[in-house]
Amino acid sequence: MTLLRLENVRKRYDQTPALHDIGLHLEAGEFLVLIGGSGSGKTTLLRAAAGLERVTAGRITLRQDIVDDPQATLFVPPAQRRLGMVFQDYALWPHLSCLDNVATALPARTPNRLNRAQKMLERMQIGALAQRRPARLSGGQQQRVGIARALVARPDLLLLDEPFSSLDPHIRDQLRNDIRALARETGTASLLVSHDPADVWRLADRVAVLEAGRIIQLATPETLFTRPATPHVARFSGAQGGFPAVPAQVGSTTGVRLGDVFLPAPLDHACAPECIAYFRPQDVLSQPACSTGPGLPAILDHCVFEAGAWLAYWRVAGLLSLICSRETQKPGAEARLTISGDKIFLYPRDKE
């Protein structure tokens, strides 16, 4: 069942456009991550879904009911949309205990109201902190209270606005696991705004990438990684690049000239005479400098040891930027670099 649908949604602030003809749907139980740089429109989109922003044009439907349609002069305020929301800055009441903060999400006459709030705190592993006020909690503990408050009323839609951005890395990992587990247990659909690639790989069923107020790719994490639609998506998924490349053909073999060397590659993504190439460090293979066959003669600039592997940075004739490769052992001073053609992403130069 489609829980949330945005159709041709636009948003302007005075004369400044923030969202351009956004079309998006979220299925019941699905986890959708919105990513993009600062000013891309991802938070505006989330706030529009929550009812914290009114759209300029288009339509938003929640559970088959229209909740925002300027043309029909329809708007349902946030309090009536029956959803949960987790904020970046926790947004807890400072004068209330953790237990009371969570209980505020339930109507005053709810049976066993405090008991339900206590059980949700225990589910978030902070039941022992129920009587503490937010000022006596760490950032991670405060965010757990915020998540408990968002989920205690059992909403079918959960909106999360960069909830992990101010937390330590190990706390982020714990909360990702907790949120994903709770979403699966309860069947709650989740819409998460993030700029962190780890949220995509660990949480998302699908990913919507925004750039300048437009969705430039909507795909599964696997498709995002294997077929990034733009240089921005390629960089987000860990690729290095912006290397000038010229489509070419040697005999029956298609490929690109990178620097002074021809590399075999499919040209499906090359739709202009001049392209830019992207590829990931793990797809760059360094061979001994004396090896034969196609490859980029390279001189080692420097290397660093990171997370169990060496990252080697190479200078290649004709390229202004260094090429990075991931090595199992510290490499020598010279090498010949090869890149599998299906691991090279090519884009028109004007897309950079």
Side-chain angles (χ1 to χ4, degrees):
M1 181 187 75
T2 300
L3 186 66
L4 175 70
R5 185 180 296 277
L6 287 77
E7 302 174 71
N8 302 315
V9 166
R10 292 180 232 160
K11 174 65 180 177
R12 299 180 69 91
Y13 295 103
D14 296 326
Q15 298 303 310
T16 304
L19 296 175
H20 301 268
D21 296 315
I22 296 293
L24 186 69
H25 69 274
L26 182 64
E27 299 298 313
E30 183 180 23
F31 209 117
L32 179 63
V33 176
L34 303 175
I35 63 170
S38 178
S40 63
K42 57 187 186 298
T43 295
T44 301
L45 194 160
L46 187 83
R47 289 174 61 84
L52 300 174
E53 299 279 358
R54 300 184 71 161
V55 303
T56 306
R59 175 185 294 175
I60 299 178
T61 305
L62 183 62
R63 307 179 194 89
Q64 315 303 318
D65 297 322
I66 298 172
V67 294
D68 197 350
D69 186 342
Q71 186 173 1
T73 63
L74 286 171
F75 178 76
V76 176
Q80 297 177 24
R81 297 196 183 189
R82 307 191 320 275
L83 47 80
M85 190 155 185
V86 180
F87 299 91
Q88 179 179 352
D89 60 357
Y90 319 133
L92 302 177
W93 295 105
H95 63 290
L96 297 180
S97 68
C98 296
L99 183 66
D100 289 335
N101 260 285
V102 176
T104 58
L106 296 167
R109 296 185 179 181
T110 301
N112 302 314
R113 182 167 173 259
L114 292 179
N115 186 47
R116 283 179 59 178
Q118 179 67 37
K119 285 185 177 180
M120 185 56 69
L121 287 172
E122 291 171 358
R123 179 62 185 81
M124 293 302 302
Q125 303 175 40
I126 49 171
L129 306 179
Q131 298 306 319
R132 291 192 188 180
R133 293 188 179 183
R136 295 182 58 202
L137 305 178
S138 68
Q141 290 168 339
Q142 289 187 63
Q143 196 58 288
R144 287 178 184 274
V145 176
I147 295 168
R149 181 181 59 189
L151 289 173
V152 72
R154 298 171 187 162
D156 50 13
L157 177 60
L158 180 65
L159 306 180
L160 304 110
D161 186 10
E162 301 202 49
F164 315 128
S165 60
S166 60
L167 304 178
D168 292 337
H170 73 284
I171 299 297
R172 291 182 207 172
D173 284 341
Q174 292 174 4
L175 284 178
R176 285 189 191 104
N177 292 336
D178 289 341
I179 287 177
R180 197 66 176 103
L182 278 167
R184 284 175 174 154
E185 287 174 15
T186 61
T188 301
S190 303
L191 187 63
L192 167 71
V193 164
S194 180
H195 61 271
D196 188 342
D199 291 334
V200 168
W201 314 131
R202 299 181 190 178
L203 291 171
D205 295 311
R206 286 190 302 148
V207 189
V209 186
L210 280 87
E211 192 172 312
R214 292 181 171 85
I215 294 178
I216 58 174
Q217 188 165 11
L218 178 60
T220 65
E222 181 181 9
T223 299
L224 196 79
F225 188 84
T226 57
R227 296 193 297 278
T230 69
H232 169 77
V233 181
R235 288 192 296 271
F236 180 87
S237 64
Q240 60 186 317
F243 302 108
V246 178
Q249 185 166 338
V250 175
S252 60
T253 304
T254 62
V256 292
R257 293 198 177 276
L258 195 64
D260 300 326
V261 175
F262 173 82
L263 293 176
L267 296 181
D268 294 344
H269 293 101
C271 51
E274 292 187 355
C275 300
I276 48 175
Y278 282 79
F279 38 81
R280 299 189 177 88
Q282 60 266 36
D283 296 323
V284 179
L285 304 178
S286 64
Q287 306 292 336
C290 60
S291 61
T292 59
L296 300 167
I299 298 174
L300 184 66
D301 184 88
H302 69 281
C303 59
V304 295
F305 188 78
E306 180 181 299
W310 288 95
L311 295 180
Y313 293 84
W314 304 93
R315 292 193 177 277
V316 173
L319 299 181
L320 296 177
S321 301
L322 301 177
I323 290 180
C324 179
S325 67
R326 185 177 291 275
E327 309 284 340
T328 56
Q329 58 186 8
K330 190 172 183 179
E334 296 184 14
R336 184 175 291 272
L337 306 181
T338 61
I339 309 157
S340 176
D342 61 352
K343 304 296 186 183
I344 300 175
F345 309 118
L346 298 171
Y347 307 96
R349 194 161 192 170
D350 61 4
K351 293 291 185 182
E352 180 61 54

